[in-house]
Amino acid sequence: MYLYLGGDAIIKTDEIIGIFDIDTSTVNKATRDCLSKTEKENRIIYVNYDLPKSFIVCENNNICVCPLNTSTILKRCEREQTRRLTNE
C-alpha cells in the first residue's frame, strides 16, 4: 500500500518507521541533531517547500519532510488500509 504525501511524493506504508509532528519533535536536541545529520548526508526528501508540519522516518534511513499534519497522514493511512481490506 502507498501513501500520497503531495506533489510527486509517494511512499510505501510498510516502509514507515514513524510519523512525527515537526513542532513538538524538534524541541528535543537529539531529534534536531538527527535531522541535521540526515540533512548533511543528503537523506532528507522535501515533498515541497511549503511550511513543514511533519516528517516521516523510513526504513531506508531517509526522512520525508512534508506540509501535511500528522493527523492527515494517519487518516490517509487508515483510509488506504480500509480500502485494501474491503477489496479482499
Side-chain angles (χ1 to χ4, degrees), residues 39-81:
E39 188 166 33
K40 287 177 186 173
E41 295 171 354
N42 293 318
R43 292 187 291 119
I44 289 192
I45 300 163
Y46 292 93
V47 171
N48 61 32
Y49 291 95
D50 290 344
L51 180 67
K53 294 181 182 173
S54 62
F55 63 95
I56 301 169
V57 179
C58 300
E59 283 183 350
N60 59 5
N61 293 322
N62 286 338
I63 295 177
C64 296
V65 177
C66 69
L68 298 175
N69 191 301
T70 54
S71 61
T72 301
I73 296 169
L74 181 60
K75 286 177 190 174
R76 288 184 182 186
C77 287
E78 290 171 344
R79 185 174 56 223
E80 287 303 314
Q81 180 70 19

